[in-house]
Amino acid sequence: MSKQNLSLRLGVLISGSGSNLQAIIEANESQQLPGVEIALVVSNKADAYGLQRALKHRLPAIYLPWGQPTVGAQFIAPKPEMSESESRLATLLHLFQIDLIVLAGWMRILSAAFLEQFPQHIINIHPALLPDNGTGSTFTTRNGTQIPAFRGLHAVQQALDAGVKITGSCVHFVTPEVDAGPVICREEVAIEEGDTEETLHERLKVVEHRLIVKAVGGLKVLNEPG
Ligand code: GRF
């Protein structure tokens, strides 16, 4: 965290629409996140709409080409050491004195070596319910129903395919195992009859926009001098 603990400088990493970035921007502009500054937005895609959102609000934003491929629904696990793209990203994040990295729809897996550079300082938004400590293969909803913990790509579709009645979103710390870090906050969302991946994801995003602001605000308070 920053030396004087006066502000929390966010680095927001995106790959697409950036609606969660927008939620942070709006919360910030309406003074809901005092002391929080969006210091840098990074996208691994040049045409990510989130970059336009950042530029519209005059935030420092950069496109950082990234080579990590995916196969079908599976990410190819990164090597343990940092890739060239990761080294560039780490340099940028240090240069901009980033305190907290927010993966807001960032679709690339980060290596253990990269994560070690920012221990406990990277959070992710995931469109499914994960157990408290992040690990474990099931989650128990508030009404006592046990559902699988859907991880990785297409978590929204995975919930639909499994036929569960409740899903949700959460914000969690990032650890080397994908979507398996300690949960900061979560909200359940009921699956409605006729829901498609798109309609359900839209409702999940409404929840996420609240969750990410809550998580960042909470971590800012934790970062304040006692
Ligand atoms: C969100 O649903 C988040 O859970 C997932 O990627 C999506 C990003 O959406 N990791 P947006 O780019 O913030 O609109």
Side-chain angles (χ1 to χ4, degrees):
M1 300 273 168
S2 62
K3 280 181 200 125
Q4 294 163 335
N5 284 338
L6 295 176
S7 71
L8 188 75
R9 292 174 60 80
L10 299 187
V12 184
L13 275 51
I14 59 165
S15 299
S17 129
S19 69
N20 281 285
L21 164 67
Q22 186 72 36
I24 305 171
I25 293 173
E26 284 170 17
N28 216 15
E29 289 183 350
S30 60
Q31 320 299 327
Q32 286 175 60
L33 290 172
V36 170
E37 194 182 333
I38 303 172
L40 181 64
V41 175
V42 180
S43 172
N44 67 308
K45 291 206 170 149
D47 60 354
Y49 182 59
L51 277 180
Q52 298 308 318
R53 296 184 195 263
L55 294 172
K56 198 169 161 200
H57 290 264
R58 299 180 183 280
L59 296 171
I62 188 167
Y63 158 53
L64 185 65
W66 204 276
Q68 188 184 334
T70 57
V71 170
Q74 293 301 314
F75 283 111
I76 291 181
K79 294 184 179 139
E81 69 268 20
M82 281 207 282
S83 66
E84 214 177 302
S85 308
E86 283 182 316
S87 298
R88 290 203 184 107
L89 177 59
T91 303
L92 274 173
L93 294 167
H94 288 307
L95 191 65
F96 279 76
Q97 300 183 318
I98 299 302
D99 299 306
L100 181 68
I101 301 163
V102 181
L103 308 188
W106 172 257
M107 299 302 285
R108 290 292 176 266
I109 295 184
L110 298 165
S111 70
F114 178 89
L115 299 178
E116 270 165 27
Q117 297 221 356
F118 308 94
Q120 288 283 310
H121 288 105
I122 309 182
I123 62 175
N124 179 47
I125 312 160
H126 183 65
L129 296 167
L130 300 172
D132 283 351
N133 66 3
T135 59
S137 56
T138 58
F139 175 80
T140 305
T141 62
R142 273 178 306 161
N143 71 7
T145 310
Q146 223 180 46
I147 59 168
F150 303 109
R151 296 193 169 87
L153 287 176
H154 308 299
V156 180
Q157 186 62 47
Q158 288 180 49
L160 288 172
D161 292 345
V164 296
K165 299 274 177 277
I166 296 172
T167 185
S169 286
C170 61
V171 178
H172 64 94
F173 285 106
V174 176
T175 55
E177 206 182 323
V178 176
D179 300 330
V183 170
I184 300 164
C185 53
R186 71 166 79 75
E187 246 185 78
E188 296 181 4
V189 170
I191 295 182
E192 291 169 8
E193 224 175 288
D195 253 338
T196 61
E197 183 177 16
E198 205 174 35
T199 59
L200 179 54
H201 204 163
E202 276 313 305
R203 287 210 309 291
L204 288 167
K205 281 196 187 190
V206 173
V207 164
E208 290 176 356
H209 300 163
R210 275 198 295 274
L211 288 177
I212 191 59
V213 171
K214 188 173 166 187
V216 169
L219 291 170
K220 167 72 182 88
V221 170
L222 279 181
N223 189 42
E224 278 163 4

